Amino acid sequence: MPYDDSVPPTRRARPLLLAAALAALCLTTITGCGGSPDTADGAGAKASTSASASASASAAPEASPTASLPQGPLTGRTVVIDPGHNPRNREHTEEINEQVDIGTGRKECDTTGTSTDDGYAEARFTLDVSHRLRELLQAQGARVLLTHDDDRPFGPCIDERARIGNEAKADAVVSVHADGSAVGNRGFHVILPAAVKGGGADTSKIVKSSADLGARIAGHFVRTTGSAPSNYIGGGTGLDTRDDLGGLNLSTVPKVFVECGNMRDPKDAALLTDARWRQKAAQGMADGIAAHLKG
């Protein structure tokens, strides 16, 4: 989803190896769903402003005890899913507008997210897809944590979202989003962390592994959903590198954002509001995550 359209995000050139990795995975390119750099770090709640928001990373909800998980190819691996935004962020604009440190500067704690013209909120979309993704990964034996599960009044903030993945020592973190770009802009894209170092941010150890995670998700997303890479971001690769997102800057474990589609485009909106397509989106992400973890 977008945050401030009036302030275009800085970007870095995508490495050629990403395009090559995606090309190897993307066997077909069909019509797509959209996404754009307007995606804000949809995160939110300040620990200092609410007792609910003070929940630590270790208290992040887990769907079921690890002992009850089935044995599978991802047994022993930890995945953190970060559902972008929060359905009740709109009721807490003062809190989510508070600035937090993202290592290279300061940014809003969170944003409200976007929605389709019919009012289907991005925050509802991200929770639905995150639940589907959790179930698919757990079926393969992974331990799965969510940064939130519609269980707090707002947020968590972007810095806390990063901290949850870090403290869980996650093998992979995926932040689920949908974009809010112009009509006609279609196709998904995956946002990768740039090489950033400053303040509390240092992505030097995760740039390469995050690039692999993102490329694998992008390739499997094409295969499973039939959606094409973005026609307005990433030069047809479905990959975009950014240095302005606190959720990526502050991560110390492999992490990417997935912009599943453009909620403001009618054709993409028809996909995003279709439960069957959302299941395919979750499957594409699960397959990409599994491929990355299996090496």
Side-chain angles (χ1 to χ4, degrees), residues 19-30 188 215-216 218-224 226-227 229:
L22 179 62
L25 289 166
C26 297
L27 302 181
T28 56
T29 298
I30 317 176
F188 75 91
R216 290 178 186 271
H220 284 281
F221 202 91
V222 168
R223 289 180 180 179
T224 305
S227 295

Side-chain angles (χ1 to χ4, degrees), residues 47 52 54 71 83 95 98 117 136 200 206 214-215 235 243:
S52 173
S54 67
Q71 295 295 300
E95 291 91 341
E98 289 192 35
D117 289 342
L136 291 167
I206 68 163
D243 62 9

Side-chain angles (χ1 to χ4, degrees), residues 39-295:
T39 307
D41 264 320
K46 269 205 150 179
S48 60
T49 57
S50 151
S52 173
S54 67
S56 67
S58 61
E62 185 172 2
S64 60
T66 304
S68 67
L69 292 174
Q71 295 295 300
L74 299 185
T75 295
R77 312 308 290 270
T78 296
V79 178
V80 170
I81 304 171
D82 180 25
H85 314 287
N86 181 315
R88 288 180 295 280
N89 273 357
R90 295 180 184 279
E91 302 166 11
H92 297 274
T93 54
E94 182 177 351
E95 291 91 341
I96 67 171
N97 283 332
E98 289 192 35
Q99 300 282 301
V100 298
D101 187 359
I102 65 167
T104 55
R106 298 185 68 80
K107 184 170 278 190
E108 298 92 338
C109 159
D110 200 3
T111 64
T112 58
T114 188
S115 67
T116 65
D117 289 342
D118 292 335
Y120 180 50
E122 179 187 3
R124 290 295 177 193
F125 169 84
T126 63
L127 276 169
D128 180 86
V129 173
S130 294
H131 290 159
R132 296 170 187 271
L133 178 56
R134 176 175 62 187
E135 183 175 348
L136 291 167
L137 292 171
Q138 287 180 330
Q140 297 187 65
R143 171 177 176 255
V144 182
L145 307 176
L146 267 62
T147 58
H148 75 99
D149 198 4
D150 198 15
D151 53 356
R152 49 196 296 167
F154 60 92
C157 288
I158 53 181
D159 55 345
E160 184 182 351
R161 290 177 189 249
R163 192 160 58 249
I164 290 170
N166 296 345
E167 294 186 5
K169 293 180 171 43
D171 296 293
V173 183
V174 174
S175 189
V176 180
H177 286 266
D179 204 10
S181 188
V183 174
N185 287 344
R186 302 192 62 198
F188 75 91
H189 67 278
V190 182
I191 304 174
L192 314 173
V196 170
K197 189 169 185 178
D202 184 357
T203 62
S204 59
K205 294 182 179 179
I206 68 163
V207 168
K208 184 176 180 180
S209 55
S210 296
D212 180 76
L213 172 63
R216 290 178 186 271
I217 289 175
H220 284 281
F221 202 91
V222 168
R223 289 180 180 179
T224 305
T225 66
S227 295
S230 170
N231 63 7
Y232 61 109
I233 290 174
T237 67
L239 301 173
D240 183 42
T241 302
R242 291 177 61 172
D243 62 9
D244 66 317
L245 299 178
L248 296 181
N249 289 357
L250 299 173
S251 184
T252 59
V253 293
K255 183 173 182 178
V256 299
F257 279 40
V258 181
E259 292 284 353
C260 296
N262 177 16
M263 299 195 102
R264 310 303 293 179
D265 178 84
K267 292 180 179 179
D268 272 10
L271 299 175
L272 297 166
T273 55
D274 184 339
R276 293 170 299 180
W277 187 90
R278 294 197 298 273
Q279 185 65 29
K280 292 179 182 179
Q283 186 69 62
M285 283 186 262
D287 291 346
I289 293 168
H292 168 74
L293 294 180
K294 294 172 187 175

